[in-house]
Amino acid sequence: MAGAVYTADFETCDNRAATGGNPTFARVWLWALCDISSKSVETGNCIDTFMARVQREGCTIWFHNLAYDGSYIVDWLLRHGYAYTNNDMLPPSTFKAVISAKGKWYQLVIVSECGIRVTINDSLKKYPFSIRAMGEQFGFPEQKGVIDYTSWRGEDYRATALELEYIANDVLIDARAMEQAYNEGADKLTIGSDCMAAFKEDIGKRQFNMLFPSLNPIQDGQMRKAYRGGYCYVNPELKGVDVYGGISVDFNSMYPSMMLEKPFPVGRPRYFTSRYTEDARMPLYIQALTVMFHVKQNGFPMLQVHNSGYFGAHEYVEKTDVPVSLWLSSVDLQLFLDNYNVDILSWDGGYKFEAAQGMFDGYMNYWREVKEASTGIVRTRAKLYLNNLYGKFGTNPDATLKIPKLPDAGAVRYELGPQETRPPVYVPVAVFATAWARDTLIRAAMANRERFIYCDTDSLHLVGTEPPAACPLDDVKFGFWKVEGEFSHARHLRTKAYIWDLNGKLSVKCAGMPDNIKADCTFDNFHIGYSNLDENGRIRPGLGKLHPLLVRGGRTLIDRPYQLR
């Protein structure tokens, strides 16, 4: 490690009690800084002392969720005369913020008045888990505690012993996790970048460039239209219906298995006009076509049509009334034709590729062996390396940033900056990784059509507890399915929203619903329309959905109403 490396955390409070409504100001009342090598912890009681401390030396600091803590740092910088710049060479009293157009925070770089450079990163991009989950899953000696998060603490407040222990545990958990990453040589900003660096080291940069050459922006933009995410679907006949007795099966390491077992595009693509014709040398392709279609009887609606103006962004289309233009990988095209009656109006050209297997074997097998031989943090990191490589191939070349600006009064604003781009990696790999995964999942669902309740990315929920058809079972082997468990009672309301009694334990899975609200759900109240409001329209105690709010000083969290839709 070059220079000192720390983890850090802020505890903050706001003035909501004084305003009687939404807060307008927030402050840091406790901070902690942990050296990841020595595990020594320093603390202070305001952001002024934190900024003075970290600018004493050139160092790297990791916060877990920089979007929250970093907002206090940016607010302080702008109010103390620091100027924002987007240049890599920063003069004194300037800073740079790497915040994506979608509001994801990656890094702050600060150069002090004396020319000392401080780099602040987000460890959440390396470990996409909460601090509590990291402490528990990794078996660290420190565990996440609980304190009062809502009371106001003024400038003269001094933290109690319990509060000091609480924040020390947080930074120590993060420090132990980051130390493991550094010990492995994983010093990139994100786990995806760590994966790509490890893969390039495995096959060599020359071989990488031969297999995955640079694409021009037009090629990347057209092929990217075929890049789709995981498939998630609930049987409309069983939506909202109570099912008594069923089985849940998961595919072991779905994306790594696809990268080991399936052919993938490599090399320079060749453009073709009209319809792809059989080419033994270039058997994989991405086809553009204009179509109208409707789903077959017992077919699975498996296609979303984005930016058409006729369909919802997350809607699996059952029928079209107007022509639709699509870009589909050869894998998706065959699945599309198997599930829909299609009227092809025109074949609009596309790109074809050479196919190869084996280039991911060394990387995947290494991390598979680490996973199978390890526990705790080492096992978790192996799973991250297995699951995050394919996505890096699909990195979006749009690198436009948000720029922080300080208004005359109130909170810092984050405005979209001028458009910026970066070179793409090789999006065809990501296109086919997700296509092969969808193909595997949907064909398994098709083989169990009469029992099908629900699927999501790599899992199937089926009526009845007998083993599923066409799903070879093994608890460990890649390319096989494992039985997650049997459920005695389940209700699926929509995609990513269901309640079930699995293996004798009641649990709720619901995207967008926080854990505190999930804990309030039972089979009696888990229905579309569930709300955290009482009969008077007030948020029930302990059931608020936290929502970030920018105020003077930084970012705070306020309770918002929630309704299951």
Side-chain angles (χ1 to χ4, degrees), residues 340-362:
Y340 290 93
N341 293 306
V342 183
D343 182 10
I344 299 174
L345 305 179
S346 63
W347 297 95
D348 302 327
Y351 296 91
K352 58 184 179 179
F353 306 86
E354 296 177 56
Q357 284 181 258
M359 60 278 195
F360 302 116
D361 288 5

Side-chain angles (χ1 to χ4, degrees), residues 45 81 148 173 390 501:
N45 72 331
D148 175 7
I173 290 169
Y390 86 89
D501 188 328

Side-chain angles (χ1 to χ4, degrees), residues 65-137:
N65 190 10
L66 184 60
Y68 184 83
D69 305 83
S71 67
Y72 290 85
I73 295 172
V74 169
D75 186 283
W76 187 94
L77 291 168
L78 290 174
R79 295 184 195 280
H80 286 77
Y82 281 69
Y84 172 85
T85 178
N86 197 25
N87 297 324
D88 291 329
M89 298 296 294
L90 276 67
S93 297
T94 62
F95 74 99
K96 179 178 181 178
V98 182
I99 305 169
S100 76
K102 293 184 177 180
K104 292 184 178 181
W105 289 54
Y106 291 89
Q107 188 177 67
L108 299 174
V109 181
I110 305 165
V111 175
S112 73
E113 184 180 357
C114 300
I116 294 174
R117 188 182 183 95
V118 178
T119 302
I120 303 176
N121 302 327
D122 188 2
S123 59
L124 189 62
K125 303 298 188 296
K126 306 275 275 189
Y127 293 96
F129 320 105
S130 68
I131 289 289
R132 182 179 303 280
M134 288 164 63
E136 293 172 354
Q137 293 176 19

Side-chain angles (χ1 to χ4, degrees), residues 11 29-30 145-150 153 160 162-163 166-167:
E11 297 303 325
W29 63 267
L30 179 61
V146 177
I147 59 171
D148 175 7
Y149 301 105
T150 59
R153 279 95 159 174
T160 66
L162 177 64
E163 292 165 341
Y166 171 89
I167 198 171

Side-chain angles (χ1 to χ4, degrees), residues 340-522:
Y340 290 93
N341 293 306
V342 183
D343 182 10
I344 299 174
L345 305 179
S346 63
W347 297 95
D348 302 327
Y351 296 91
K352 58 184 179 179
F353 306 86
E354 296 177 56
Q357 284 181 258
M359 60 278 195
F360 302 116
D361 288 5
Y363 174 93
M364 291 295 172
N365 286 325
Y366 171 80
W367 288 109
R368 173 166 59 179
E369 291 171 8
V370 172
K371 174 188 170 185
E372 292 173 352
S374 306
T375 59
I377 187 172
V378 177
R379 176 180 171 83
T380 298
R381 287 193 59 75
K383 290 173 68 175
L384 290 171
Y385 273 95
L386 287 167
N387 290 322
N388 283 276
L389 176 62
Y390 86 89
K392 192 62 180 176
F393 280 94
T395 297
N396 196 319
D398 184 354
T400 304
L401 300 177
K402 282 193 170 180
I403 298 173
K405 295 188 177 181
L406 184 65
D408 293 336
V412 173
R413 296 195 310 266
Y414 294 85
E415 300 177 355
L416 207 58
Q419 185 173 12
E420 298 181 52
T421 60
R422 60 191 162 199
V425 183
Y426 193 78
V427 74
V429 166
V431 168
F432 276 81
T434 54
W436 284 124
R438 285 189 302 276
D439 188 76
T440 299
L441 178 69
I442 294 172
R443 294 196 184 280
M446 292 166 67
N448 294 274
R449 191 66 175 91
E450 299 303 314
R451 301 174 57 192
F452 177 78
I453 305 171
Y454 178 78
C455 65
D456 187 356
T457 308
D458 60 0
S459 65
L460 277 174
H461 301 176
L462 304 174
V463 176
T465 57
E466 59 270 23
C471 295
L473 298 177
D474 188 279
D475 285 349
V476 177
K477 289 181 181 177
F478 280 29
F480 285 71
W481 298 77
K482 67 179 176 183
V483 177
E484 181 187 9
E486 297 180 0
F487 54 87
S488 58
H489 186 189
R491 182 188 304 141
H492 297 71
L493 301 182
R494 55 166 172 79
T495 55
K496 300 187 183 294
Y498 57 91
I499 184 171
W500 60 357
D501 188 328
L502 181 70
N503 300 328
K505 182 179 180 181
L506 183 72
S507 64
V508 174
K509 309 292 183 182
C510 189
M513 179 185 283
D515 289 343
N516 60 315
I517 298 179
K518 289 177 184 176
D520 182 61
C521 291
T522 67

